[in-house]
Amino acid sequence: MTQTLEPRVSEAETEPDAPTFGHFIGGEWRASGSGRTFESRDPADTRRVIGHFQAGDAADVAEAVRAAEQALPAWRATPAPKRGEILYRFGALMAQHKERLARAMTSEMGKVLAESRGDVQEGIDIAYLMAGEGRRMFGDTVPSELPDKWAMSIRQPIGVAGLITPWNFPMAIPCWKMMPALVTGNTVVLKPASDTPHCAVLLVELIHEAGFPPGTVNLVTGSGEEVGIPIVESPDVPVISFTGSNETGKRIAAIAARRLKRLSLELGGKNGIVVMDDADLDLAVDGIVWSAFGTTGQRCTACSRVIVLEPTADALLARLVEKTATLSLGPGSDPATDVGPLINAAAVEKVERYAGLARDEARIVIGGSPVNDRPGLEHGHFFEPTIVDGVRPMDRLGQDEIFGPLLSIIRVPDYDAAVTALNQTRYGLSSSIYTRDTNTAFRAMRDFETGIVYVNAGTIGAETHLPFGGWKGTGNGHREAGHAALDTYTEWKSIYVDYSGRLQRAQIDNQIDDQADEQDDDGRGAR
Ligand code: NDP
């Protein structure tokens, strides 16, 4: 049995004594059985320790799963509208603590404060949306093909949901998964990314305060290998929802497939913006710069390819470079900052590798280097916003997800070539087109092979009440958000109630002609 820790409500941001936070299991804050911890640090200044977090292992996961199983019968028996009321309270608490949560997020994840506020807001939005689902959760009520018979379908919870989340939306994504899982009557074991455990702790504190019964939501911090894999392997966790890289997603999929688990995967993207000759270039430049360099390019929906018609390319590029040059790099907590740090040193190295490739195979027109010599930025993971011209669709720069502030420009002769280039990737999350021609816009809505398409807006900015997710290698067909998210966490049950008081045989007794024939044959009729 692990040691019980004092419940800890953090004042957010970095605390001077770098506190230690527990797992949250069965309604209690607990130390890991192994006693090991790991640190989380501020990516804008890695000298600042956010806190120490439990390095969980399979034994901690087993305890969390047990707690979630124990909480399941009472939670699934709680009427869905009542479950929704607790979700609503959680959303209201997030709204009340929005600024505190956003500042903590900026400290731990690095994104600029306005974007952290947006991340928290997404959590609030999904909490309210799913609270409402507690009073809807539509199934079908349809006529039966037989007389005196009732036909309907309802959703029911699957069981314990294992949720594995990334660092780039450290509050929105856990909420996107927890809220639909909970409102539909599942209980949860959450494993957040090891770069942002504090954000998860802060959320779970509010989960507790909102009144979710003990064991309904359990948090286990620690590595993918030691915590993530045991969750996926657990025979008592029948549904897994994962957001992260393709590599990890495929590994999880292989394990889940062997155990026939329900699995929702939201993986990478290589999102493109098509700019037509008739586009409003000022509008396009604003959308491209925001989509490419917002969140330092670390959004799954970030734009990393601009596919521009040749006659417009030089004019667009000149404006893009001009606007990019004005972006201010710095800590996300500084109101003057446009672009914050990358999440960690490995991310800087990855972007640097692709910048090297760009130098060899294409042409860097702005940026291209890590920044560690400017005053105030020496201890952070900063990289210049970078634009590369002359990229071909099948180049690695045009194909690989870089997940940083590096934008490739691909020049094409016409719309058809633009569509080919846009779709020539293994991913299919988000896309956009800038055009003033309605016909072209509608063709793009039809032709772009992505789960999200924007017209005259960048590739980012999804709203929580529509399905979110991608085609092809971006996922496995499931969706977050909207009522589509309920499909991940529920089993359908079709129910037939026969109140005729006699045997009725579907597909047999409903054929009017046969019925007549049978009546002729034996005088009794099929019924
Ligand atoms: P990872 O796949 O490395 O990690 C995601 C989560 O999975 C983390 O919690 C991580 O834990 C955990 N994990 C790592 N290895 C395993 C494993 N073997 N088994 C189980 N869990 C594991 O991705 P990143 O954190 O680097 O996130 C960036 C990636 O996520 C990008 O490729 C991005 O496109 C994608 N993403 C996709 C989104 C979408 O909706 N399509 C949204 C956001 C990101 P730990 O942190 O401890 O390693």
Side-chain angles (χ1 to χ4, degrees):
M1 188 64 179
T2 51
Q3 168 200 348
T4 301
L5 292 183
E6 281 301 299
R8 180 184 283 283
V9 175
S10 166
E11 287 309 310
E13 297 204 71
T14 313
E15 294 185 15
D17 59 345
T20 300
F21 297 93
H23 301 310
F24 188 69
I25 298 177
E28 288 176 353
W29 294 97
R30 296 190 194 178
S32 187
S34 72
R36 288 180 296 129
T37 59
F38 65 98
E39 282 175 0
S40 171
R41 288 175 180 261
D42 179 350
D45 183 345
T46 56
R47 294 170 303 178
R48 301 173 70 209
V49 178
I50 304 291
H52 303 276
F53 298 86
Q54 303 304 311
D57 58 20
D60 300 317
V61 170
E63 284 203 30
V65 171
R66 207 171 307 127
E69 278 191 298
Q70 281 166 2
L72 189 60
W75 183 244
R76 67 186 297 161
T78 304
K82 292 288 158 199
R83 295 196 294 254
E85 283 171 20
I86 306 180
L87 266 76
Y88 185 84
R89 279 207 291 281
F90 171 69
L93 279 168
M94 279 190 86
Q96 184 188 330
H97 292 276
K98 182 171 174 180
E99 192 60 21
R100 181 174 76 90
L101 297 173
R103 286 184 181 277
M105 188 185 307
T106 290
S107 275
E108 187 174 46
M109 186 274 164
K111 63 174 79 173
V112 299
L113 199 47
E115 293 185 34
S116 291
R117 291 188 188 114
D119 192 313
V120 177
Q121 187 60 47
E122 275 194 57
I124 298 166
D125 292 346
I126 196 79
Y128 288 165
L129 178 74
M130 289 297 154
E133 284 297 340
R135 288 190 180 270
R136 297 197 322 167
M137 223 177 284
F138 294 140
D140 296 322
T141 303
V142 293
S144 166
E145 64 192 35
L146 292 165
D148 299 331
K149 194 169 174 186
W150 183 267
M152 64 184 174
S153 61
I154 60 168
R155 291 182 184 274
Q156 291 205 306
I158 302 178
V160 177
L163 313 179
I164 302 177
T165 54
W167 44 265
N168 64 340
F169 280 83
M171 293 197 187
I173 292 178
C175 289
W176 277 32
K177 296 184 190 303
M178 282 195 291
M179 295 300 111
L182 290 167
V183 79
T184 48
N186 303 274
T187 55
V188 160
V189 176
L190 169 66
K191 181 240 161 313
S194 296
D195 281 310
T196 52
H198 190 217
C199 289
V201 165
L202 294 174
L203 276 185
V204 170
E205 286 173 355
L206 297 185
I207 284 276
H208 185 51
E209 197 177 334
F212 286 96
T216 313
V217 172
N218 304 276
L219 169 74
V220 183
T221 51
S223 74
E225 284 303 326
E226 289 187 282
V227 176
I229 292 285
I231 291 175
V232 181
E233 283 184 335
S234 170
D236 301 316
V237 179
V239 52
I240 301 288
S241 178
F242 169 79
T243 298
S245 61
N246 271 61
E247 297 67 35
T248 308
K250 283 180 191 157
R251 211 172 141 200
I252 288 176
I255 301 170
R258 282 200 297 277
R259 287 161 176 73
L260 295 179
K261 292 191 181 205
R262 180 75 55 87
L263 173 66
S264 165
L265 297 173
E266 286 301 331
L267 309 174
K270 188 68 186 173
N271 313 293
I273 294 180
V274 171
V275 182
M276 300 297 292
D277 282 345
D278 62 352
D280 176 337
L281 283 195
D282 288 332
L283 189 66
V285 166
D286 285 347
I288 292 166
V289 169
W290 168 231
S291 302
F293 303 127
T295 326
T296 322
Q298 301 172 110
R299 288 184 183 227
C300 46
T301 52
C303 170
S304 63
R305 301 180 297 158
V306 165
I307 298 159
V308 55
L309 267 57
E310 181 63 62
T312 307
D314 287 340
L316 178 75
L317 189 57
R319 292 194 208 193
L320 280 176
V321 169
E322 192 185 337
K323 174 127 188 150
T324 302
T326 67
L327 297 178
S328 163
L329 206 59
S333 53
D334 181 344
T337 296
D338 298 302
V339 180
L342 286 162
I343 187 67
N344 53 34
V348 176
E349 280 163 26
K350 183 174 178 190
V351 182
E352 214 173 347
R353 275 201 307 280
Y354 281 98
L357 208 59
R359 250 172 235 114
D360 295 343
E361 295 180 1
R363 189 170 67 93
I364 295 179
V365 288
I366 186 168
S369 303
V371 178
N372 41 28
D373 52 359
R374 288 189 210 158
L377 306 189
E378 309 93 319
H379 301 287
H381 302 301
F382 294 95
F383 200 97
E384 294 171 330
T386 301
I387 299 178
V388 183
D389 189 20
V391 174
R392 290 162 304 176
M394 296 310 288
D395 289 347
R396 281 192 62 199
L397 286 165
Q399 290 292 314
D400 295 358
E401 184 184 50
I402 300 168
F403 226 54
L406 194 152
L407 176 67
S408 294
I409 308 291
I410 297 171
R411 298 170 179 242
V412 291
D414 53 28
Y415 172 79
D416 288 339
V419 172
T420 303
L422 184 95
N423 290 339
Q424 238 172 9
T425 139
R426 64 192 164 117
Y427 299 109
L429 183 53
S430 184
S431 60
S432 136
I433 186 164
Y434 280 88
T435 178
R436 287 189 173 104
D437 183 332
T438 312
N439 294 350
T440 308
F442 271 85
R443 284 189 192 109
M445 289 185 242
R446 178 195 63 199
D447 296 338
F448 289 5
E449 295 172 354
T450 55
I452 305 168
V453 176
Y454 293 91
V455 176
N456 291 327
T459 51
I460 64 185
E463 300 177 31
T464 52
H465 46 297
L466 283 184
F468 180 94
W471 293 22
K472 302 189 277 188
T474 290
N476 63 344
H478 283 281
R479 291 291 184 268
E480 311 255 34
H483 53 79
L486 302 179
D487 292 338
T488 298
Y489 303 101
T490 51
E491 291 285 9
W492 279 112
K493 186 177 277 178
S494 298
I495 299 173
Y496 302 95
V497 181
D498 192 321
Y499 54 96
S500 70
R502 58 186 174 269
L503 173 67
Q504 300 200 89
R505 301 171 305 173
Q507 290 89 43
I508 297 173
D509 295 346
N510 61 351
Q511 296 176 39
I512 292 165
D513 289 341
D514 289 356
Q515 227 173 344
D517 289 349
E518 283 185 47
Q519 272 173 346
D520 286 348
D521 289 348
D522 60 18
R524 282 188 293 121
R527 288 182 290 170

